[in-house]
Amino acid sequence: MNLEFTPEEKAFRDEVRAFISQNYPAHLADFGMREDMSPEDMVAWHKILGEKGWSVPAWPVEYGGTGWTPTQRYIWSEENARVNAFMPLPFGVAMVGPVIYTFGNEEQKAKHLPGIRSGDVWWCQGYSEPGAGSDLASLKTTAVRDGDHYVINGQKTWTTLAQYADWGFFLCRTDPDADKPQEGISFILVDMKTPGVEVKPIKLLDGGYEVNETWLTDVRVPVENLVGEENKGWTYAKFLLAHERSGIAGVARSKRGVEKLREIAAKETLDGQPLIEDFDFARKVSQLEIDLAALEITELRTLAGEQAGKGPGPESSILKIKGTEIQQRLTELTLEAVGSYGTPYYGSIANDTGSNEYPIGPEYAHHSAATYFNMRKTSIYGGSNEIQRNIITKMILGL
Amino acid sequence: MDFNFTEEQDMVRDGLSRMVREQYDWESRRAAIASDAGWRPEVWAQLAELGILGMPFSEEVGGFGGGAVDAMIVMEEFGKGLVVEPFVPTVVCAGGFLKHAGSEAQREEHLSAIIDGSRVFAFAYAEPRGRYDYADLETTAKKDGDGYVLNGHKAVVIGAPWASHLVVTARTGGDRRDREGVSVFIVDKSADGIVTRDYETVDGRRASEVYFENVSVPGDALIGDEGAALPLIEQVTDEAIAAQCAEACGAMKVAHAMTVEYSRQRKQFGVPIGKFQVLQHRMVDMYTAYEQSVSLTYLATLKLEAGERERKRAVSAAKVGVGQAARLVGQESIQIHGGNGVTDEYAIGHYFKRLTIFESEFGNVDHHLKRHVSLA
């Protein structure tokens, strides 16, 4: 057993590091996801990577993937996290892309994969509904065949960044009389400009708008937009969710977050000493690092399994649970570290236009509360952590 | 032993509870905190009329003869409605300083105006670098003839945009972080040289950065003895902590009840999610944490007049226990509400945000655990 990278892997790391430092947009460095981010900012790195041929590293080479090993992909994400790069949004790259190249037909591949690779087409995911969150199979949105079209009616929710989306992938019920709720669901691609599609942003706790309610009223979609077979959508949806979960651990990003937390805690003071020298605080940071180290190795073991040909299985639920717990704990500690300057609502201050104003608190405090509030979502989305534990109960413990 | 409230206290609670229900229904609160002012002076006037603003003061100073238990009752009801009006800065803090150390003339001038609602205070004690150490002051008050000249920067002064007056801590002597040399002043917010930068807070209140640039105040702005205010500040902030613990209890009670109710309504897999044992036990843990918090809040409130060590231990115990419970109840409420919990539209998120900020006010869990250890 050996945790060291090989010389080839180290050379690869140097190449990647050099590429990022020369090409990542300077104004987005250490930016993270922020409420004042523009859609152009969100796709800037994606487009640069598209030109380089690195936007979809995990895809098979024939569809534009890099052919990197899982370890190389890991190095790639680590190096991006070093600058806290805003990575390509997952909806095209990690979700619908793999479904299309695995289950779609040649026309669909030719039509959709290039735009996903280049970052020119923005995708959104239409899974959840107001009554069907963790119990996704109870979804009610219907698609009724009418000649060479489906007519879609229903309401989706939590459609992330759908306000900018060109295309969406939707789970719709095509056979309401199926024996089990999982049967009779189809996976359909929808041009978001089709008449009858209406997107309404939902204001979140942190003051931002990153999710939407999406209403579909008599939306006519050509039947060629069905992916795979009619009524077999649940299979594709599960395939997609397993892919979604494997990226959800966020180890590299959390490592950068811990570094930042240490930087903040070195600047903040407690009893006249740097906060990071306070044993109670330092102990909590260490505990977090220990949990993160464990998660990192667990993820590497999963990657090694993948390298040996095992797809992401129920073990990815562990990555989801621990990864999101650590992300949440990190934002809690960061808010704790900034002290009373976590209290101002910086969204209200950003609207001020006066130029002779005093700045309020250190810059690193500005998004601490918003990020903490926002990150509560991570243990809820992508199948709540309760659902992940149920998956482990069933699939691994066999209970 | 007696954990009962007096008949009068029960009446006050009922009256206040009704008022909070009527004035602080969800839509009214939402509109109030989004308005330009961010609060409702008319609600403040109504509180004065009901006698709430005079409740904790003795009859000798023009109050209604109550004390800390009365403040606790008031704050618990405020917590249930997420009331933003500045009862703690004005009544508990400014009123506390005046009650304990104000001269007769100062009480006469300020206390009656607090009680009748005409004067609103903010407590400017925190500084950008001081964290939770009240003696870690860079703000100075230099003797100048009969008066003083204030210079410095006070951070996140809750309620300052609404205040007519400020209670300000400043160093009149000694070195930064010395226990000696700390003084407290009452300052008219319109005094020359005070510059404020106002903003909203994440939990729906308003606050300011307050800058003092050669602000001259008269000698009678000083409360208590010059340079000897630290024990007084500790007494008053302990009273503020006890009051805010009661507020957190009120907020937790409602957050828990909302969550239980939601778990009854929300169906997944064909049954209400409240039927899942994994969620049931967590709601039991939330409830237990809330009950323990009420106990610690009683303890802190009843020990406010005890000796210094006993008082500090009880208050720190409450701040630790209630702080931990506030985090647990806040986070679990959101998790059990699922996606709806993270939207601005659902009330639960606003309880979560208030409970989050409560934790860091007047010292967080770590700070008070340490203080508790140091007094063992």
Side-chain angles (χ1 to χ4, degrees):
Chain A
M1 293 188 51
N2 185 2
L3 284 174
E4 290 291 303
F5 291 135
T6 64
E8 294 76 30
E9 286 163 347
K10 282 181 187 157
F12 174 76
R13 183 189 60 196
D14 294 343
E15 182 196 351
V16 160
R17 192 173 294 181
F19 177 75
I20 292 172
S21 78
Q22 284 156 23
N23 294 283
Y24 189 72
H27 78 285
L28 295 177
D30 251 340
F31 203 67
M33 170 79 189
R34 288 170 34 170
E35 60 268 31
D36 54 344
M37 204 170 193
S38 71
E40 292 74 26
D41 286 338
M42 290 188 223
V43 295
W45 188 221
H46 190 157
K47 293 200 168 181
I48 293 166
L49 294 176
E51 280 167 32
K52 172 80 175 167
W54 284 3
S55 60
V56 289
W59 289 14
V61 176
E62 55 176 314
Y63 300 120
T66 54
W68 291 343
T69 63
T71 308
Q72 285 178 305
R73 281 173 4 225
Y74 177 79
I75 291 169
W76 170 245
S77 63
E78 276 248 298
E79 292 302 317
N80 275 282
R82 280 163 52 85
V83 296
N84 206 5
F86 191 87
M87 297 304 282
L89 294 167
F91 314 106
V93 172
M95 297 179 179
V96 75
V99 171
I100 290 174
Y101 67 65
T102 309
F103 303 105
N105 56 38
E106 293 310 316
E107 291 74 32
Q108 288 168 338
K109 292 177 194 173
K111 179 171 180 182
H112 295 297
L113 297 183
I116 296 174
R117 283 195 302 266
S118 67
D120 287 320
V121 179
W122 190 306
W123 284 84
C124 66
Q125 178 193 46
Y127 270 29
S128 296
E129 297 185 4
S134 289
D135 180 14
L136 183 58
S138 70
L139 62 89
K140 292 195 168 61
T141 296
T142 55
V144 177
R145 186 78 183 254
D146 177 27
D148 53 2
H149 281 78
Y150 287 107
V151 180
I152 303 179
N153 278 286
Q155 186 194 351
K156 295 288 178 180
T157 191
W158 316 130
T159 15
T160 304
L161 298 171
Q163 65 264 49
Y164 309 122
D166 304 301
W167 279 80
F169 49 101
F170 289 83
L171 288 181
C172 306
R173 198 163 288 289
T174 34
D175 179 7
D177 303 321
D179 290 344
K180 285 162 63 182
Q182 288 85 346
E183 290 164 9
I185 291 172
S186 296
F187 191 103
I188 299 174
L189 310 178
V190 178
D191 183 334
M192 294 297 280
K193 284 180 287 294
T194 315
V197 178
E198 195 191 352
V199 172
K200 283 190 203 160
I202 299 172
K203 187 178 184 186
L204 294 183
L205 269 190
D206 60 357
Y209 294 89
E210 67 179 62
V211 293
N212 300 271
E213 286 181 313
T214 302
W215 301 80
L216 301 125
T217 312
D218 294 330
V219 177
R220 293 183 68 83
V221 175
V223 286
E224 59 256 32
N225 288 9
L226 171 77
V227 176
E229 287 178 54
E230 193 176 84
N231 298 330
K232 296 281 181 236
W234 190 250
T235 311
Y236 319 139
K238 275 200 308 188
F239 167 88
L240 181 152
L241 284 173
H243 271 259
E244 183 186 3
R245 260 167 230 149
S246 64
I248 227 160
V251 169
R253 193 162 297 268
S254 289
K255 280 167 80 175
R256 173 68 193 126
V258 174
E259 257 175 53
K260 256 201 126 166
L261 173 62
R262 283 192 176 278
E263 288 163 22
I264 292 170
K267 287 183 188 141
E268 289 288 318
T269 55
L270 175 64
D271 299 332
Q273 302 297 319
L275 176 63
I276 196 64
E277 288 173 21
D278 174 67
F279 182 75
D280 286 328
F281 193 82
R283 195 189 51 172
K284 286 190 272 192
V285 178
S286 282
Q287 182 67 59
L288 187 66
E289 286 178 318
I290 292 163
D291 293 344
L292 187 53
L295 180 67
E296 183 174 15
I297 303 298
T298 305
E299 186 176 37
L300 288 171
R301 286 167 56 209
T302 313
L303 284 175
E306 244 183 273
Q307 206 153 346
K310 289 191 346 191
E315 302 81 14
S316 65
S317 292
I318 296 176
L319 300 180
K320 182 350 165 103
I321 293 169
K322 294 314 290 183
T324 55
E325 284 176 359
I326 287 167
Q327 288 160 30
Q328 292 181 338
R329 189 80 190 106
L330 178 61
T331 60
E332 266 180 81
L333 275 182
T334 305
L335 177 59
E336 213 172 299
V338 303
S340 50
Y341 279 123
T343 299
Y345 174 49
Y346 291 89
S348 75
I349 297 158
N351 294 334
D352 288 354
T353 48
S355 54
N356 292 327
E357 302 275 26
Y358 295 92
I360 291 171
E363 203 274 333
Y364 57 68
H366 291 192
H367 294 275
S368 57
T371 307
Y372 169 64
F373 296 144
N374 184 278
M375 291 305 278
R376 302 315 304 171
K377 73 188 177 191
T378 63
S379 52
I380 296 166
Y381 70 23
S384 71
N385 286 11
E386 289 80 6
I387 294 294
Q388 303 303 326
R389 288 185 169 90
N390 287 347
I391 291 171
I392 295 174
T393 308
K394 274 203 200 107
M395 310 291 285
I396 298 180
L397 308 186
L399 295 173
Chain B
M1 207 175 307
D2 179 13
F3 287 113
N4 294 310
F5 297 112
T6 64
E7 212 171 296
E8 208 184 353
Q9 286 168 334
D10 280 334
M11 271 169 55
V12 169
R13 183 198 285 278
D14 291 347
L16 190 58
S17 171
R18 197 173 327 115
M19 182 192 157
V20 170
R21 270 202 311 278
E22 286 165 5
Q23 299 283 2
Y24 264 87
D25 65 277
W26 189 235
E27 287 312 315
S28 306
R29 178 186 187 270
R30 181 186 282 277
I33 66 170
S35 69
D36 286 344
W39 75 313
R40 287 174 292 176
E42 67 274 18
V43 168
W44 195 248
Q46 204 180 338
L47 289 168
E49 214 168 288
L50 282 172
I52 300 298
L53 304 182
M55 279 249 314
F57 302 115
S58 66
E59 279 155 12
E60 300 96 80
V61 298
F64 296 86
V69 173
D70 301 84
M72 178 181 86
I73 291 170
V74 169
M75 287 302 290
E76 197 187 336
E77 296 307 314
F78 281 4
K80 290 178 189 170
L82 295 181
V83 170
V84 297
E85 274 68 29
F87 185 85
V88 167
T90 303
V91 176
V92 180
C93 294
F97 281 111
L98 290 160
K99 187 169 73 176
H100 294 299
S103 68
E104 212 161 302
Q106 286 169 330
R107 288 180 183 185
E108 199 157 309
E109 183 189 351
H110 299 294
L111 265 187
S112 53
I114 287 176
I115 293 167
D116 72 20
S118 58
R119 231 166 240 198
V120 173
F121 282 79
F123 181 25
Y125 66 96
E127 298 193 356
R129 304 285 298 168
R131 199 161 281 258
Y132 310 123
D133 181 355
Y134 307 122
D136 192 344
L137 293 174
E138 291 184 90
T139 300
T140 57
K142 289 226 162 63
K143 195 93 185 158
D144 178 40
D146 289 340
Y148 296 86
V149 177
L150 295 174
N151 276 288
H153 168 196
K154 292 294 182 178
V156 198
V157 184
I158 298 291
W162 309 325
S164 58
H165 289 71
L166 302 170
V167 176
V168 183
T169 62
R171 194 161 274 292
T172 44
D175 287 330
R176 190 169 164 189
R177 304 183 57 238
D178 278 355
R179 283 189 65 85
E180 298 299 318
V182 176
S183 301
V184 177
F185 299 89
I186 285 190
V187 182
D188 191 319
K189 207 181 89 177
S190 61
D192 283 346
I194 295 182
V195 177
T196 59
R197 174 97 201 267
D198 302 345
Y199 46 83
E200 297 170 25
T201 66
V202 290
D203 55 347
R205 297 178 295 170
R206 299 287 163 99
S208 309
E209 297 300 289
V210 183
Y211 302 88
F212 296 89
E213 290 162 3
N214 295 316
V215 177
S216 291
V217 298
D220 64 4
L222 178 73
I223 298 191
D225 296 328
E226 184 186 297
L230 198 61
L232 175 65
I233 294 169
E234 289 173 338
Q235 171 78 41
V236 171
T237 50
D238 279 354
E239 290 167 6
I241 290 169
Q244 289 196 328
C245 283
E247 181 193 8
C249 287
M252 280 190 273
K253 186 180 177 116
V254 171
H256 180 258
M258 278 180 175
T259 304
V260 170
E261 187 51 32
Y262 184 83
S263 79
R264 284 206 184 97
Q265 305 295 332
R266 173 71 175 177
K267 284 190 178 163
Q268 294 276 268
F269 306 101
V271 291
I273 60 171
K275 290 286 172 209
F276 298 124
Q277 198 174 48
V278 66
L279 298 190
Q280 290 170 351
H281 288 188
R282 282 156 67 177
M283 287 187 277
V284 170
D285 289 346
M286 290 162 70
Y287 178 70
T288 308
Y290 158 73
E291 286 293 344
Q292 294 277 77
S293 295
V294 170
S295 300
L296 285 167
T297 301
Y298 283 4
L299 177 72
T301 305
L302 296 170
K303 294 284 187 188
L304 285 175
E305 303 298 324
E308 185 185 335
R309 180 176 167 278
E310 216 180 333
R311 181 198 82 219
K312 285 182 174 176
R313 273 177 66 83
V315 168
S316 284
K319 193 73 206 310
V320 170
V322 181
Q324 290 166 338
R327 187 173 291 203
L328 175 86
V329 171
Q331 293 182 349
E332 293 285 52
S333 295
I334 299 298
Q335 183 70 20
I336 294 170
H337 272 79
N340 289 327
V342 296
T343 63
D344 183 67
E345 195 191 345
Y346 270 65
I348 193 66
H350 298 261
Y351 284 84
F352 165 59
K353 292 203 278 190
R354 177 69 196 114
L355 288 169
T356 300
I357 296 306
F358 157 77
E359 274 183 73
S360 66
E361 290 185 286
F362 299 111
N364 64 8
V365 168
D366 279 359
H367 173 84
H368 282 282
L369 249 182
K370 237 174 254 175
R371 191 170 85 153
H372 196 270
V373 168
S374 75
L375 296 165

